[in-house]
Amino acid sequence: MIDTPGTGDQGGTWSFATAREPAEFPAVEVQGVPGVEHAGGAGRTLCGIRGRYLKLFLHHFQPRALASCRTCRTLAEAAPTRPCGQERLHDLLIQEADDGPLRTDLLAALRRGARIAIWITGPAESLTRSYSRIGEMTEEAGPAAEALAAAGTSLTLARIEDTDHQYLVVLPPAGRVRIARGAAGVPGA
């Protein structure tokens, strides 16, 4: 879902500041006026059309598309950027995970731009079975497995891949975030 942004574009090193992402807006169309897409905002388009006249699409507004509203294009491109996935996960871990060596190492990896292989919310059982790779974790696998088992019907998990390690972050709907670590490049269990 989320990948490491490129560093070569600006010629510098990777950082949260250089990896900021453009703002995203849902694509909408005015009912009865097909062919022009607008950027959805808080109950209206960025150009001011009220929400009750709009049809929502299942994709984001593309400012550079030929069919985009010029006013929405200008306003969308001028909107403030947002933190990249690495920064959002970093900030979440600072607030929600217990302090310890794995958290410290994972925070450092995220600041270096470690790749977020997946960050997903869904049915706990299928996420655990299909995406957790708990069998590949060698450090703190027990508490992470307990959090997976206790999650109930839904949970969020993230897998982060760094040069030497892979991390599993379990974000249960209730309780503390759990972090487990294993060696990078271990074949699936």
Side-chain angles (χ1 to χ4, degrees), residues 53-186:
Y53 303 112
L54 303 176
K55 177 172 80 172
L56 179 66
F57 292 113
L58 294 178
H59 62 268
H60 289 110
F61 176 72
Q62 300 295 321
R64 290 285 151 207
L66 291 175
S68 69
C69 164
R70 289 182 187 158
T71 303
C72 286
R73 173 187 303 162
T74 301
L75 294 169
E77 289 176 339
T81 58
R82 64 188 185 111
C84 64
Q86 287 84 349
E87 184 176 358
R88 292 190 309 267
L89 185 55
H90 179 277
D91 293 349
L92 179 83
L93 292 173
I94 286 179
Q95 293 177 13
E96 301 293 328
D98 293 330
D99 194 16
L102 284 185
R103 176 180 170 241
T104 301
D105 291 349
L106 179 53
L107 291 173
L110 290 167
R111 285 190 297 270
R112 288 190 306 271
R115 180 177 177 269
I116 299 175
I118 193 167
W119 188 356
I120 191 169
T121 300
E125 185 178 331
S126 67
L127 289 184
T128 299
R129 183 178 58 253
S130 301
Y131 299 108
S132 73
R133 296 186 181 174
I134 191 69
E136 297 176 15
M137 301 300 134
T138 55
E139 298 176 61
E140 296 297 319
E146 289 172 14
L148 288 168
T153 58
S154 179
L155 95 125
T156 300
L157 64 82
R159 270 192 301 98
I160 297 86
E161 298 172 350
D162 197 19
T163 308
D164 298 327
H165 297 99
Q166 62 175 322
Y167 296 87
L168 172 66
V169 179
V170 180
L171 300 110
R176 298 297 285 176
V177 169
R178 295 292 176 212
I179 302 169
R181 177 169 60 188
V186 175

